[in-house]
Each structure stands twice: as structure tokens, then as C-alpha cells.
């Protein structure tokens, strides 16, 4: 199982240090792969062995004139070899296009990065029906090497992120079963995963792990989810 936390624009560097130490205890006791994506300014050399630290974003460059972005040089400083690409907040709030995401994907793939690539449909598309939804999500696979060995895919319905609303367990399993036909990569579910639903989600067919936002900000909650993954 893969248990990942996207901390988004939360926690200071010192709070992240504390968080990492707590998570490392759960991570060490678990057979699951635990990945944490801290805020950019909280990237650092953490005294951890098992937990993987990834970047929430980076520009496809070693360095250069890209105001507000970080590149490979900044990731290398902390030995970061894992990146999140295509998160719905970057697609919808920051308007990153599929073409640009493909450019990022190819850049970091060439470097052998572990890539957690996110897909997912907005509410109106989900309401338009299953066919529309699958057509929409299929477009998010365009240009992506779905057989890349270090690829992890995360299915995150946009309307479920940060809202406390999730698809039914049947719907999650159904979409995952469809998406598994597109790529052999491990497939995570994300969108309002909490302590009280994590076990059920992890138990579904074709769910290889979870990507957690808000609920992961509490180390004990996220730690419990790591424990659950070993109980299945
Ligand atoms: P959420 O976020 O758990 O707060 O819904 C998930 C994500 O954005 O990865």
C-alpha cells in the first residue's frame, strides 16, 4: 500500500520537522510506502530513513528565471526524487494545461523521479454521466507514459477534495476498475479521506493506497491511516 500526505500550503518548516518525526515512527512500523509532500519552504533535510519526502510542484528546469518556482537544483539540495504532478488545485486554480503537465512529467521521468500523477473530474462532469466522466479523465492521460515504472496515479474527484464529500465506495471501486485498464501503475484514491473512511477505502478492489490532504495535517490521524493499511 502507498499512504501519501499532501500538506499543501500548511505547516511551517519547524512544524513540518516535528510532523516528520511523528510520521516516521508510524512509517517505520509499517510495511506501506509513506510519502509526504510538504510545502515548498518546508523542504529540508529531515532525520528520517523510511518516509519519502516529495515536492508538491517544481518547474521543469535545473534553475533559471522562473519567478516563484523551484527547479531541480532546489530539489537536489534535499535529495528529493519524488514529485506530485497534475493535482487538481494546479490544474484548476493555477490553470496548468495538460500540455504543460506532460512537459513536467517528461522532464521528471527522464530524471527517474517517482511521479504521483493526479487525475479527476469536476462535479458537472460527474453529473453528466459515466461516459462523459471517463472521457474527461481519459484526456488527463494524454501524453503521459502510463507504463513508466516509477509512476503512481491518484484518482481525486475535484468535488471531493477538501469538501468532506466522497463518492460512494461502489463508485470509487468502479472508477478505479476502469482506470486500472489504462495503466498498471499503483492507483491511489484521494478526496476527503479521513480516519473514519480510510479503512473502507483501502479495502476496495483496485485501490492501492490513499492521498490525503486535510486529515493528514493531524499526525495522529495520518498515523492511524498508515496503521490501517497494515491491517488489511
Ligand atoms: P483532502 O485533499 O483530503 O483535503 O480532500 C486531498 C488532496 O487534495 O490530495
Amino acid at each position: 500500500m502507498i499512504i501519501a500526505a499532501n500538506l499543501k500550503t500548511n505547516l511551517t518548516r519547524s512544524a513540518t520537522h516535528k510532523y516528520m518525526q511523528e510520521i516516521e515512527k508510524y512509517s517505520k512500523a509499517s510495511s506501506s510506502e509513506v510519502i509526504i509532500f510538504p510545502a515548498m519552504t518546508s523542504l529540508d533535510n529531515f532525520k528520517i530513513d523510511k518516509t519519502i519526502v516529495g515536492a508538491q510542484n517544481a518547474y521543469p528546469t535545473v534553475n533559471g528565471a522562473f519567478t516563484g518556482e523551484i527547479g531541480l537544483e532546489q530539489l537536489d539540495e534535499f535529495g528529493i526524487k519524488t514529485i506530485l504532478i497534475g493535482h487538481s488545485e494546479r490544474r484548476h486554480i493555477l490553470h496548468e494545461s495538460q500540455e504543460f503537465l506532460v512537459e513536467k512529467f517528461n522532464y521528471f521521468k527522464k530524471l527517474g523521479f517517482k511521479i504521483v500523477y493526479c487525475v479527476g473530474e469536476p462535479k458537472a462532469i460527474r453529473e453528466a454521466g459515466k461516459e462523459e466522466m471517463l472521457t474527461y479523465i481519459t484526456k488527463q492521460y494524454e501524453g503521459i507514459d502510463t507504463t513508466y515504472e516509477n509512476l503512481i496515479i491518484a484518482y481525486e474527484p475535484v468535488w471531493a477534495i477538501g469538501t468532506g464529500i466522497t463518492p460512494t465506495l461502489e463508485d470509487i471501486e468502479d472508477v478505479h476498475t476502469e482506470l486500472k485498464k489504462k495503466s498498471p501503475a499503483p492507483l491511489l484514491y484521494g478526496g476527503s479521506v479521513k480516519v473514519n473512511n480510510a479503512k473502507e477505502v483501502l479495502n476496495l478492489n483496485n485501490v492501492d493506497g490513499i492521498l490525503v490532504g486535510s486529515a493528514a495535517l493531524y499526525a495522529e490521524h495520518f498515523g492511524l491511516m498508515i496503521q490501517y493499511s497494515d491491517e488489511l
Side-chain angles (χ1 to χ4, degrees), residues 48-68:
I48 51 176
D49 305 314
K50 167 108 191 314
T51 312
I52 297 169
V53 178
Q56 288 175 24
N57 176 50
Y59 202 79
T61 185
V62 173
N63 53 29
F66 304 98
T67 302

Side-chain angles (χ1 to χ4, degrees), residues 6 8 87 89 156 160-163 190-193 211-215:
N6 176 9
K8 307 191 181 184
H87 189 275
E89 283 146 18
E156 300 201 302
I161 297 176
T163 58
S192 295
V193 177
L211 176 55
V212 189
S214 350

Side-chain angles (χ1 to χ4, degrees), residues 26 34 44 67 69 74 104 151 155 161 171 197 202 217:
Y26 292 100
V34 178
D44 210 344
T67 302
E69 294 287 303
Q74 286 76 33
K104 271 193 203 183
L151 170 65
Y155 168 60
I161 297 176
D171 281 347
N197 63 11
L202 286 168
L217 292 175

Side-chain angles (χ1 to χ4, degrees), residues 54-174:
Q56 288 175 24
N57 176 50
Y59 202 79
T61 185
V62 173
N63 53 29
F66 304 98
T67 302
E69 294 287 303
I70 63 167
L72 188 63
E73 194 172 277
Q74 286 76 33
L75 299 180
D76 276 351
E77 183 180 9
F78 304 119
I80 290 167
K81 294 251 168 284
T82 300
I83 187 165
L84 193 61
I85 295 179
H87 189 275
S88 94
E89 283 146 18
R90 297 212 62 93
R91 287 182 192 266
H92 298 283
I93 301 176
L94 294 152
H95 305 293
E96 291 190 357
S97 66
Q98 184 64 21
E99 292 68 31
F100 182 52
L101 296 176
V102 168
E103 190 185 326
K104 271 193 203 183
F105 185 96
N106 289 336
Y107 183 86
F108 289 102
K109 177 192 152 192
K110 215 168 177 180
L111 294 162
F113 269 56
K114 188 191 289 290
I115 298 175
V116 179
Y117 181 73
C118 305
V119 299
E121 82 290 349
K123 199 162 197 291
I125 304 288
R126 158 71 63 139
E127 284 168 353
K130 188 174 169 182
E131 206 179 307
E132 259 87 342
M133 178 182 72
L134 290 176
T135 305
Y136 184 95
I137 300 174
T138 300
K139 291 210 177 88
Q140 298 177 322
Y141 280 76
E142 268 171 23
I144 299 299
D145 177 0
T146 53
T147 61
Y148 174 47
E149 56 181 3
N150 289 327
L151 170 65
I152 297 167
I153 295 174
Y155 168 60
E156 300 201 302
V158 180
W159 50 276
I161 297 176
T163 58
I165 304 165
T166 57
T168 62
L169 294 172
E170 292 74 23
D171 281 347
I172 294 174
E173 195 168 83
D174 189 36

Side-chain angles (χ1 to χ4, degrees), residues 187-205:
L187 184 58
L188 317 184
Y189 170 78
S192 295
V193 177
K194 314 272 181 217
V195 172
N196 58 9
N197 63 11
K199 215 183 246 177
E200 290 167 320
V201 172
L202 286 168
N203 223 348
L204 296 172
N205 290 320

